[in-house]
């Protein structure tokens, strides 16, 4: 036992192993069956007590914020974009905290982040050599906004079209129904279709020749 400890080192490690395998709530169910008196908070503290692996050279990272307490306390999480492993959890989302971590890694080449100003300032200060890219969520968000803007522009332009043009467009839509319209096949697909047709025709000619014999 360690000084002032209430559990043995072996029991401490057992709770850690159960916590890593199951988590907090499920871990309590397992420890109850084993006769170990503990709580889910204790299991999580045992997991947090594990030492982190040292961060070696990492050329690509992603950084984003999360809430320790929703709406009150926020932190930052850094992830290796190549291995998808968590590198560090920062106590806040301030620019100086993120910049201090980035300054220790001059090998950074790509940094994926959100559109917040704090992380942008941290990159400019501590990693100006790195290329900044938007994360996947904001790429989707930008795409959605671009589509909505395009749709609104088309609707506003459609309202300005004269009535006779709208009638002509409506007539053309009736003539060419989406149910009967077929897209133009790709050149490669068309070549493959013609090659299969040629093979079938050759086989048919062979059948006729054999029948004549």
């Amino acid at each position: 036992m360690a000084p002032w400890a209430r559990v043995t080192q072996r029991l401490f490690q057992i709770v850690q192993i159960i916590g890593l395998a199951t988590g907090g709530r499920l871990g309590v169910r397992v420890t109850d069956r084993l006769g170990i008196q503990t709580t889910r908070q204790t299991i999580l503290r045992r997991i947090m007590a594990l030492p982190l692996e040292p961060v070696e050279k990492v050329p690509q990272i992603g950084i984003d914020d999360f809430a320790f307490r929703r709406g009150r306390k926020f932190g930052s999480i850094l992830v290796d974009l190549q291995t998808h492993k968590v590198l560090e959890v920062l106590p806040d989302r301030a620019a100086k905290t993120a910049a201090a971590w980035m300054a220790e890694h001059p090998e950074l080449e790509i940094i994926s982040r959100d559109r917040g100003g704090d992380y942008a300032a941290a990159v400019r200060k501590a990693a100006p050599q790195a290329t900044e890219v938007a994360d996947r969520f904001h790429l989707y968000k930008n795409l959605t906004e671009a589509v909505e803007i395009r749709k609104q522009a088309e609707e506003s332009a459609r309202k300005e079209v004269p009535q006779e043009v709208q009638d002509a467009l409506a007539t053309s839509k009736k003539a060419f129904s989406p149910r009967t319209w077929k897209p133009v096949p790709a050149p490669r697909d068309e070549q493959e279709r013609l090659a299969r047709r040629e093979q079938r025709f050759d086989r048919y000619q062979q059948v006729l020749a054999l029948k004549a014999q």
Side-chain angles (χ1 to χ4, degrees), residues 63-65 112-116 119 133-146:
I63 183 171
D64 202 354
D65 59 348
S112 172
R113 62 172 182 82
D114 59 12
R115 294 187 292 189
Y119 295 144
V133 297
D135 55 28
R136 185 180 302 176
F137 168 78
H138 288 91
L139 288 177
Y140 284 145
K141 188 173 186 296
N142 293 344
L143 175 62
T144 303
E145 292 176 352

Side-chain angles (χ1 to χ4, degrees), residues 179-199:
R179 296 181 179 179
T180 59
W181 177 81
K182 294 183 179 180
V184 178
R188 183 176 179 180
D189 296 340
E190 185 66 13
Q191 291 177 359
E192 293 178 353
R193 187 186 68 82
L194 293 176
R196 292 193 298 269
R197 183 174 181 273
E198 189 69 21
Q199 291 177 358

Side-chain angles (χ1 to χ4, degrees), residues 1 17-18 35 37 42 66 167 173 186 209:
M1 294 181 65
I17 294 172
I18 293 175
Q37 296 183 359
T42 301
F66 69 97
D167 296 340
K173 289 181 180 179

Side-chain angles (χ1 to χ4, degrees), residues 44-98:
L44 295 178
R45 284 197 300 269
R46 298 290 185 264
I47 297 175
M48 296 298 293
L50 289 169
L52 296 176
E53 296 181 0
V55 179
E56 300 178 354
K57 291 185 177 181
V58 52
Q60 302 176 7
I61 67 168
I63 183 171
D64 202 354
D65 59 348
F66 69 97
F68 289 109
R69 297 183 65 184
R70 182 172 298 179
R72 297 186 180 182
K73 182 176 177 57
F74 295 89
S76 299
I77 184 170
L78 294 99
V79 180
D80 188 338
L81 294 182
Q82 294 180 337
T83 62
H84 305 287
K85 291 183 178 180
V86 177
L87 300 173
E88 187 68 67
V89 176
L90 304 179
D92 54 46
R93 56 181 178 181
K96 61 179 182 179
T97 306

